[in-house]
Amino acid sequence: MTATQPAAPETASILIVDDMEENLVALEAVLGSLGHVVRAHSGEEALKAMLRQEFAVVLIDVLMPGMNGFETAANIKGLDQTKDVPIILLTGAAVDPNYAYRGYTVGAADFLIKPFDPWLLRTKVNVFLDLFRKNRQLTDQSEQLKRLLTADGGRPTVTPSAPPPTCASTEPSYGTDDEDTTDSAERPAFLDDTGRLSEVVGQLAQAELLLRDANGPGGADLADRVVELEQAVGRLMTERET
């Protein structure tokens, strides 16, 4: 039986936050080919955007009027809906030496000083986009596994076998090696469930390999969780076969 291939992931969205339009234009020019870029001109506008849709990563300028970059980052990390979104803080060359420390304190994943190398920025952002896609794929496969395990209460069901046919002859009937003497309606339903669980094991194995190859933070931990799921499914298959 061939394992079902996971659906192609959605295009990941990137939020860029800066009060200066020319800076937003420059960022979008660098990052536009990586994913869907959304602009925000203030911290307040950024928070509203993040509550409307899901983002893989957000880039925030530190020096903004009103709610500055540190405050914006702190507010993002303070909301359950957005607390896990990685944040990259951006600031000009003349920076306070404590800015980087403050950035990491409020939960930023990275801190870059302008003018930055476009290749370096693309590389850093792409790491978070790749991790977002791997997490989404793992979530989809975990949901599929849950649906399989909860079907019919998670218990194998056996179809009652039909009564033996009435035969005029008392001679025993022997099937040949090429004949399947078991009617398909008499097969226990858990055999089909085992086949579906085998598909899930294959999909989990693919997800584990993808996460092992990913260089982003948290990839190894997620891969270990996938291995635990594989082992749990394997035990379940063994129990159903005995």
Side-chain angles (χ1 to χ4, degrees), residues 70 97-106 111:
F70 297 120
N98 294 322
Y99 272 14
Y101 172 77
R102 288 181 62 188
Y104 293 124
T105 299
V106 297
F111 191 92

Side-chain angles (χ1 to χ4, degrees), residues 159-181:
T159 304
S161 58
T166 302
C167 299
S169 172
T170 58
E171 292 294 327
S173 174
Y174 299 96
T176 64
D177 292 340
D178 295 332
E179 293 176 345
D180 184 0
T181 58

Side-chain angles (χ1 to χ4, degrees), residues 143-157:
E143 289 300 322
Q144 183 179 3
L145 175 61
K146 289 178 183 178
R147 288 194 296 269
L148 288 173
L149 295 180
T150 55
D152 299 323
R155 298 178 180 178
T157 57

Side-chain angles (χ1 to χ4, degrees), residues 202-225:
Q203 293 173 358
L204 290 174
Q206 293 175 5
E208 180 193 354
L209 292 176
L210 291 172
L211 290 170
R212 296 290 185 196
D213 293 338
N215 296 322
D221 292 339
L222 290 171
D224 292 338
R225 290 170 54 192

Side-chain angles (χ1 to χ4, degrees), residues 56-226:
V57 61
V58 54
L59 292 83
I60 308 174
D61 182 51
V62 169
L63 301 177
M64 294 188 298
M67 186 187 298
N68 63 33
F70 297 120
E71 294 168 335
T72 303
N75 280 309
I76 291 172
K77 291 300 180 180
L79 297 175
D80 288 338
Q81 183 175 334
T82 60
K83 64 182 180 180
D84 295 324
V85 180
I87 298 172
I88 299 177
L89 290 176
L90 308 173
T91 191
V95 298
D96 187 313
N98 294 322
Y99 272 14
Y101 172 77
R102 288 181 62 188
Y104 293 124
T105 299
V106 297
D110 211 338
F111 191 92
L112 290 179
I113 298 175
K114 305 173 187 177
F116 43 76
D117 183 345
W119 179 87
L120 177 62
L121 179 61
R122 284 174 55 86
T123 300
K124 288 179 177 291
V125 169
N126 204 39
V127 168
F128 293 114
L129 295 179
D130 190 53
L131 182 59
F132 174 83
R133 296 186 185 100
K134 300 298 189 300
N135 287 342
R136 175 63 61 83
Q137 185 180 40
L138 178 59
T139 299
D140 291 343
Q141 291 174 336
S142 297
E143 289 300 322
Q144 183 179 3
L145 175 61
K146 289 178 183 178
R147 288 194 296 269
L148 288 173
L149 295 180
T150 55
D152 299 323
R155 298 178 180 178
T157 57
V158 180
T159 304
S161 58
T166 302
C167 299
S169 172
T170 58
E171 292 294 327
S173 174
Y174 299 96
T176 64
D177 292 340
D178 295 332
E179 293 176 345
D180 184 0
T181 58
T182 303
D183 186 79
S184 58
E186 299 175 356
R187 295 180 183 273
F190 74 83
L191 292 179
D192 294 333
D193 290 342
T194 301
R196 291 195 297 170
L197 289 175
S198 297
E199 290 185 18
V200 174
V201 171
Q203 293 173 358
L204 290 174
Q206 293 175 5
E208 180 193 354
L209 292 176
L210 291 172
L211 290 170
R212 296 290 185 196
D213 293 338
N215 296 322
D221 292 339
L222 290 171
D224 292 338
R225 290 170 54 192
V226 173

